[in-house]
Amino acid sequence: YILLGFILLLAGEAAQHWICLILGIVIVALGLLRVAYFFVRSAGDHFSRTDLPIGVVLLAAGVYLIAKPEALWGWLPVLLGFAILFDSVVKLQQSLEMKHNRFRLWWAFSIAAVATIVLAVLLIIGIFSGVTLQYYFGAALIADGIVNLVAQGFLLYTRAHAGHQGGGKKQPAQTEVYATELVPVEDD
């Protein structure tokens, strides 16, 4: 997100064209993979598989985007707005789980999650247009990317230090015995 945001902020209208073109190429590649999988899968696979139709639709959509990359630009902020919204709600859920586990800074992640939810909603409802939209879109992607990086770094830190310095509930040791039966071992 951060890289895409900076590209939008710095490259201007050329970035819009190239982002949509690259997305079209990626969609064509995904379509080709689905079609190829349809032909190489085993005959015993389910008859209700939808690899071929999904692959063909992805191929058609990708070719359309390659031919007319500007067609997606009007929808791209909305689509990525929904992606940011989903990601932000997941972050909000994680922050509430952090509260439940008594992590000290859970509230900071809740605030960041709510802020990125607001950014996403503003992208989805489309209150910006033209150059303002491009700058807002780029800034929203950068902000969400930074929140993701900080959140992941904090989660890794707190997992590594769980139970130390009151950072959260102490996790059970991973050396617990789960098996309930004994298996005889032959002596060499």
Side-chain angles (χ1 to χ4, degrees), residues 31 34-35 38 41 48-60:
R34 292 299 288 257
V35 170
F38 171 79
R41 67 188 166 107
S48 63
R49 288 276 177 148
T50 56
D51 294 313
L52 184 60
I54 289 173
V56 169
V57 168
L58 286 172
L59 278 169

Side-chain angles (χ1 to χ4, degrees), residues 97-175:
E97 290 170 358
M98 292 167 75
K99 178 184 179 189
H100 174 73
N101 288 317
R102 292 182 276 161
F103 289 113
R104 283 185 246 149
L105 294 175
W106 68 269
W107 56 269
F109 290 97
S110 292
I111 291 170
V114 170
T116 54
I117 287 171
V118 170
L119 292 175
V121 169
L122 292 175
L123 276 174
I124 293 167
I125 61 174
I127 64 169
F128 301 105
S129 63
V131 175
T132 306
L133 170 63
Q134 181 174 331
Y135 288 131
Y136 179 78
F137 190 21
L141 290 172
I142 291 169
D144 189 57
I146 290 170
V147 169
N148 281 340
L149 286 176
V150 171
Q152 290 304 316
F154 181 76
L155 289 174
L156 290 173
Y157 175 81
T158 54
R159 284 183 185 150
H161 295 88
H164 302 289
Q165 304 166 354
K169 290 183 180 177
K170 183 159 178 78
Q171 300 296 322
Q174 293 189 358
T175 56

